[in-house]
Amino acid sequence: MVAFADKMKESIEEYSQFIENYKVGVENLAAMEEVALATTEKEAVYSDGKRTLYRYKALKKGKICAVPLLIVYAMVNRYTMMDIQEDRSLIRNLLNQGMDLYIVDWGYADRSDRYITMEDLIEGFLNDAVDFICQKHKLEKINLLGVCQGGTFSAIYTALHVDKIQNFISMVTPIDFESDEGLLNIWSKELDVDAMVDYYGNVPGSIMNQGFLMLQPFMLSIQKYINLVDSMADQKQLENFLRMETWIFDSPNQPGEVLRKFLKDLFQENKLAKGEFQLGNRYVDLKQINMPVMVIYAEQDTLIPPSSAKALVDLIGSKDIEQLSYPVGHIGMYVSGKTQKTLAPSIANWINARV
Amino acid sequence: MENIFGKGSTWLENWKEVQENLSKQYEAWGESFQGKQGTPENTESAFQDWIKAQNDLSKQFLEIGQSIQENFTQSQKKVQEDTSNFMGFEVYQKIFQSWLEALGKLPNAGDFSKFQTLFEQNTNIFENLFKENLLGLWGKHQNLAEEFQKFFNMQAVWAPNLGEPYQKLVAEFTKVLNQFQLSPKGWGNAAMKEFFEEYEQKFSKYLAAQKLGINRERDAKVAQTIAAFIEHCKVHVDYMQILNETSTEANTKVSKKLSECVAEGKAITSFKELAALWTGENEATFQKMMRTPLYAKIQGEHLTTYCQYKKLSNELLEEALQETPFATKCDLDLAFKEIHTLKTELRHAKKERQRFANEVTQLQDELQSLKLGIKELLHAKEEQSLPAGTTKSKRTTRTPKTKK
């Protein structure tokens, strides 16, 4: 009985402290300004409508890699994840390794983008961006790093323009969508994509957010915030949390026709892995990819199962293939402490050995 | 806000002290009764003291339970004043509050043999909390209530076209539907599914029938929209049903785990541990369910039927807006499609132009090369025809004099 009474006392004191932390945290939140993401300095060098190509300002003094690296992020979220805060920034880490970095910003689609196609994005903007960089640097080829859905776009582009890519890196990129490991793969099979796109036009970012939250509804909707309370009194930790929170819910609307093709041809029919995918009137044959390729995947990725990302290895014609993995989740690839020190040097060293 | 937790801590110290004294008193009373025959007066007064002490204790338990409840309510209100529920974990506060109350209601806190029964009595608190708050995450039922209102408005406009018998049917169904609770629990009710199936059966012939009169196209569209709405409602019931069942399964697991902990003498009294347990069990149970083909099918149908219904509903609205000077979504989409086509053609044209320009440049370069080549050839030939040693003459171009 005495032990139980002690326990009750502890319980009430713990909860009391919890509420106190919460109250302080609420006051901190009220006093905070908007958090800033992606603060690494960059310059817009080319644009087409809402899509912009940025070049990052060099951070490293001294030798910079002669062949620039273009990063193509996904459209379903913002590229700002790669530069979320100063001490968790793959962008900064790559710049510190002497990479000459460019990045594609797909922008925020609105109703006027209702009918843009994947061909417009890949053969249009992405190709123009590559040409721009080549002309600026008087090169015939550049290095390309594709991330997640951006990696799928990049793989398609590379297969169609092998003469323009010197080295290709795919990072947590879905290639084989047949897997039943990921919930998105399972759910997408039963989705009537046409009904969804025909109604919404551009599929709202809020729908995408709901879909992602549904992958871990309790953890992401409730427990995450309970866990937050203990650190709410710490201004810095709260800011870090808010940056992530800002990024998570900063989902652009998805251009209807791009999403229609992506879901139907890739998620549902797995055409790319089967060699049946067409962009415009051209078939995309991944076997055409013959330059050095690095495949990076996250071992605990529930969004893009490792098998989906690793499938690229067997589908390309390259002889020089390197695989790199980390024991992290999808987002952890950019923000986890496990990757901060080694991911960027691995990429940079690999590229430098091949330019 | 009164610091009940401070008060609670003091109360527990007092409670500990009272229990220790009572235990000593009981021990002493037992000894004196054991060895001796005991004096009736002493025994009776000790027993009465003991009963009074236990009554005081029960009263204190009741008070602390009430205080805990008040404090939770106050803290919730305070939190709501400050943050307007932006965090969304008040469900855990309610669960924790109920849990502490359940523990606090034990007649004798050390008597865990009675705990199982008492806990089972309190599981209703958890069930209702879990279901209502869980399904709030999937808040479509609230939007659906609004859609129902629109649906009935639509029916009211359309029903007179089909005469009195149909209108009577509509009134009958409206009455039945109003009896259903439009909450997540109500939506997952099997009776709700039967209602919609019966509705569909009775109304489908009216909905599918050819329409007559000048407004027949509009009436047909309305009928299609109603049919699509009913289809979505049926799927929504399935969706809520599977969520309800999974929620119950998860809740049962949580209850079981809590009981097991108590039985092992390790009752969870930490708010964070309780929250983590609830999250963990629900996440695991729902993850397992969400991987099933059945769930994928129902979820897919849920989204599809919703989109189909809303598309038809929007088309009706757009038709109504045709009479007004407002541009509709469809109008804008047509314009954007045209713009996109033009932009695509322009891009291709630019590329073609660039290609032609490149070809022209190439041809010009080739022509220039040819010219140079011919010039050199002629020059070389000329030099060959001259006798050896003869210096090359300068080529001059004589311009003929023009006659005046």
Side-chain angles (χ1 to χ4, degrees):
Chain A
M1 278 195 286
V2 169
F4 177 71
D6 285 341
K7 254 324 210 144
M8 284 288 278
K9 184 182 168 189
E10 274 174 30
S11 169
I12 290 171
E13 281 171 359
E14 183 212 277
Y15 189 68
S16 178
Q17 187 60 53
F18 181 85
I19 292 291
E20 276 308 308
N21 288 348
Y22 184 37
K23 280 161 59 186
V24 169
V26 165
E27 282 160 17
N28 282 349
L29 278 170
M32 279 174 79
E33 290 183 5
E34 200 69 34
V35 288
L37 277 70
T39 54
T40 306
E41 204 177 329
K42 61 186 186 288
E43 180 196 358
V45 294
Y46 173 74
S47 69
D48 177 11
K50 292 175 200 71
R51 292 161 284 283
T52 309
L53 176 68
Y54 288 101
R55 185 182 186 187
Y56 283 95
K57 191 174 169 184
L59 287 180
K60 185 187 171 197
K61 293 198 187 330
K63 191 171 180 249
I64 301 292
C65 184
V67 180
L69 175 62
L70 171 61
I71 299 175
V72 180
Y73 198 80
M75 291 186 81
V76 293
N77 290 111
R78 299 285 291 147
Y79 71 90
T80 48
M81 166 50 63
M82 299 185 81
D83 189 21
I84 197 149
Q85 58 194 59
E86 276 191 29
D87 58 344
R88 293 263 192 264
S89 170
L90 181 58
I91 296 290
R92 279 184 179 259
N93 293 342
L94 285 169
L95 288 169
N96 286 331
Q97 293 293 319
M99 292 285 105
D100 190 351
L101 274 192
Y102 286 81
I103 196 161
V104 161
D105 178 357
W106 298 111
Y108 291 90
D110 61 26
R111 200 83 198 170
S112 65
D113 299 304
R114 164 73 178 88
Y115 293 101
I116 63 163
T117 63
M118 212 187 274
E119 190 187 0
D120 292 331
L121 296 180
I122 297 176
E123 291 280 50
F125 182 76
L126 183 53
N127 188 48
D128 291 347
V130 171
D131 285 345
F132 176 89
I133 299 170
C134 285
Q135 277 168 25
K136 181 145 181 85
H137 293 262
K138 296 184 175 46
L139 295 168
E140 286 184 6
K141 300 183 184 189
I142 64 167
N143 297 315
L144 185 60
L145 189 158
V147 183
C148 192
Q149 182 195 33
T152 316
F153 289 172
S154 300
I156 291 167
Y157 177 79
T158 304
L160 294 173
H161 298 276
V162 291
D163 54 330
K164 294 187 184 178
I165 304 299
Q166 184 146 345
N167 299 295
F168 174 53
I169 302 165
S170 84
M171 185 185 283
V172 292
T173 294
I175 297 290
D176 186 348
F177 293 81
E178 199 64 53
S179 162
D180 274 354
E181 290 171 52
L183 275 174
L184 291 179
N185 298 81
I186 297 170
W187 292 346
S188 65
K189 301 285 186 284
E190 297 290 341
L191 203 58
D192 184 338
V193 180
D194 289 329
M196 188 172 71
V197 174
D198 288 347
Y199 165 57
Y200 284 113
N202 293 341
V203 177
S206 57
I207 299 287
M208 308 299 291
N209 284 341
Q210 280 176 31
F212 292 132
L213 284 183
M214 286 282 286
L215 298 176
Q216 282 184 285
F218 297 88
M219 195 60 213
L220 298 177
S221 302
I222 304 178
Q223 188 64 39
K224 184 174 81 167
Y225 300 108
I226 293 181
N227 294 345
L228 171 66
V229 170
D230 280 342
S231 47
M232 276 177 101
D234 183 328
Q235 187 83 10
K236 196 167 184 315
Q237 284 195 50
L238 193 54
E239 280 177 7
N240 290 348
F241 180 89
L242 275 179
R243 281 193 200 91
M244 184 63 83
E245 192 77 344
T246 303
W247 176 83
I248 285 169
F249 295 112
D250 184 15
S251 294
N253 296 339
Q254 296 302 295
E257 296 312 313
V258 176
L259 193 66
R260 193 195 301 267
K261 189 168 178 72
F262 190 77
L263 289 177
K264 286 179 80 169
D265 283 11
L266 297 175
F267 261 97
Q268 291 182 339
E269 296 181 54
N270 202 22
K271 283 185 175 177
L272 184 64
K274 289 179 187 172
E276 297 167 6
F277 185 79
Q278 260 184 289
L279 193 70
N281 56 4
R282 295 174 69 183
Y283 275 95
V284 176
D285 180 10
L286 291 176
K287 268 278 180 273
Q288 297 298 314
I289 296 177
N290 55 11
M291 75 289 295
V293 170
M294 182 186 242
V295 175
I296 305 174
Y297 63 92
E299 290 159 20
Q300 294 156 18
D301 199 335
T302 52
L303 212 60
I304 308 298
S307 58
S308 177
K310 284 194 285 185
L312 185 65
V313 171
D314 295 326
L315 293 169
I316 54 180
S318 307
K319 298 281 183 272
D320 179 0
I321 305 174
E322 185 156 326
Q323 293 188 59
L324 180 62
S325 69
Y326 287 89
V328 294
H330 191 74
I331 302 301
M333 185 57 76
Y334 324 109
V335 300
S336 162
K338 291 179 188 139
T339 58
Q340 291 310 304
K341 290 203 171 89
T342 58
L343 178 57
S346 299
I347 293 172
N349 292 341
W350 184 82
I351 287 175
N352 284 330
R354 289 161 178 80
V355 296
Chain B
M1 182 169 77
E2 185 191 2
N3 183 12
I4 190 63
F5 296 116
K7 192 174 168 185
S9 297
T10 313
W11 174 82
L12 278 169
E13 290 292 345
N14 292 342
W15 179 78
K16 267 168 61 178
E17 206 182 310
V18 164
Q19 289 298 309
E20 281 167 8
N21 289 341
L22 280 173
S23 300
K24 284 176 190 165
Q25 200 172 15
Y26 186 72
E27 207 180 316
W29 179 59
E31 276 176 6
S32 68
F33 191 70
Q34 211 174 5
K36 309 160 189 177
Q37 291 306 304
T39 61
E41 302 80 21
N42 284 348
T43 307
E44 195 175 319
S45 74
F47 188 63
Q48 277 174 354
D49 284 344
W50 186 85
I51 288 174
K52 185 177 178 300
Q54 287 300 319
N55 283 341
D56 288 343
L57 193 62
S58 298
K59 198 176 158 196
Q60 284 176 11
F61 260 112
L62 192 64
E63 278 172 8
I64 194 66
Q66 282 170 346
S67 299
I68 289 172
Q69 185 159 4
E70 270 171 28
N71 193 62
F72 270 107
T73 310
Q74 281 176 28
S75 68
Q76 232 180 298
K77 275 189 193 157
K78 186 83 174 81
V79 161
Q80 283 173 9
E81 278 163 21
D82 290 345
T83 66
S84 302
N85 281 342
F86 81 97
M87 290 293 244
F89 64 76
E90 65 273 8
V91 60
Y92 285 106
Q93 286 179 276
K94 283 184 193 168
I95 294 167
F96 186 59
Q97 175 188 343
S98 302
W99 176 238
L100 284 188
E101 280 174 13
L103 287 177
K105 275 177 192 165
L106 290 173
N108 181 340
D111 186 357
F112 293 116
S113 61
K114 290 184 187 168
F115 182 76
Q116 186 64 36
T117 316
L118 188 65
F119 184 73
E120 279 162 11
Q121 287 168 5
N122 280 311
T123 51
N124 286 338
I125 302 169
F126 292 91
E127 273 196 23
N128 291 337
L129 287 171
F130 290 172
K131 279 186 182 179
E132 290 295 334
N133 285 285
L134 166 64
L135 295 178
L137 295 177
W138 278 272
K140 279 272 192 263
H141 65 281
Q142 287 169 344
N143 294 335
L144 214 48
E146 286 173 19
E147 293 297 341
F148 252 108
Q149 198 48 57
K150 287 182 203 168
F151 164 68
F152 283 122
N153 291 345
M154 215 189 313
Q155 282 222 120
V157 165
W158 181 62
N161 294 356
L162 284 175
E164 213 178 302
Y166 176 76
Q167 289 178 67
K168 277 189 178 153
L169 262 179
V170 167
E172 193 186 301
F173 271 97
T174 310
K175 208 167 136 191
V176 173
L177 185 64
N178 283 339
Q179 290 164 14
F180 282 107
Q181 184 192 4
L182 290 181
S183 68
K185 207 170 173 176
W187 271 108
N189 196 321
M192 186 85 132
K193 181 80 184 271
E194 283 172 21
F195 166 81
F196 282 115
E197 279 171 352
E198 201 182 323
Y199 184 101
E200 193 184 38
Q201 199 193 6
K202 288 221 161 98
F203 281 86
S204 58
K205 57 185 176 193
Y206 293 104
L207 294 171
Q210 290 293 324
K211 309 297 177 279
L212 303 172
I214 194 170
N215 291 319
R216 60 186 304 271
E217 278 186 23
R218 190 207 65 181
D219 290 346
K221 188 64 103 14
V222 169
Q224 254 186 307
T225 309
I226 291 172
F229 182 64
I230 298 303
E231 195 58 36
H232 178 60
C233 289
K234 278 164 48 190
V235 174
H236 190 66
V237 171
D238 289 338
Y239 194 45
M240 288 297 118
Q241 217 163 21
I242 201 172
L243 293 184
N244 271 332
E245 284 165 7
T246 311
S247 178
T248 304
E249 186 189 335
N251 169 55
T252 306
K253 286 181 184 171
V254 171
S255 307
K256 192 168 171 238
K257 267 268 165 59
L258 286 171
S259 303
E260 283 168 6
C261 288
V262 168
E264 288 164 17
K266 297 175 190 170
I268 290 177
T269 52
S270 155
F271 171 74
K272 284 188 239 177
E273 276 180 43
L274 181 62
L277 169 67
W278 194 82
T279 299
E281 286 299 334
N282 272 277
E283 194 79 83
T285 311
F286 270 84
Q287 285 281 328
K288 193 177 162 195
M289 181 276 288
M290 290 195 294
R291 290 193 157 272
T292 60
L294 177 64
Y295 177 78
K297 181 171 174 293
I298 292 174
Q299 182 178 249
E301 281 174 1
H302 194 253
L303 185 59
T304 301
T305 52
Y306 176 77
C307 290
Q308 286 170 344
Y309 158 63
K310 290 296 285 183
K311 184 168 176 283
L312 288 167
S313 177
N314 281 355
E315 282 170 9
L316 276 175
L317 183 59
E318 293 223 5
E319 274 179 36
L321 287 173
Q322 289 299 324
E323 304 286 323
T324 70
F326 302 116
T328 64
K329 222 194 241 183
C330 283
D331 294 333
L332 291 172
D333 278 352
L334 278 172
F336 287 133
K337 193 168 189 177
E338 190 64 26
I339 291 168
H340 175 259
T341 306
L342 290 168
K343 273 185 174 177
T344 307
E345 286 174 3
L346 181 62
R347 196 174 67 238
H348 287 149
K350 276 183 180 173
K351 277 197 172 148
E352 278 298 289
R353 192 185 67 177
Q354 186 60 43
R355 192 174 67 81
F356 287 140
N358 292 342
E359 277 181 15
V360 164
T361 307
Q362 197 178 356
L363 283 169
Q364 282 174 337
D365 289 342
E366 283 175 10
L367 188 61
Q368 194 62 23
S369 295
L370 271 173
K371 279 184 180 172
L372 279 170
I374 290 169
K375 196 175 170 181
E376 281 170 12
L377 205 61
L378 286 171
H379 195 66
K381 207 171 174 182
E382 211 180 271
E383 283 191 357
Q384 269 180 8
S385 65
L386 290 171
T390 314
T391 51
K392 275 193 289 193
S393 61
K394 258 192 182 170
R395 281 177 66 90
T396 54
T397 307
R398 282 185 294 173
T399 311
K401 285 184 186 166
T402 48
K403 283 185 182 171
K404 283 188 184 170

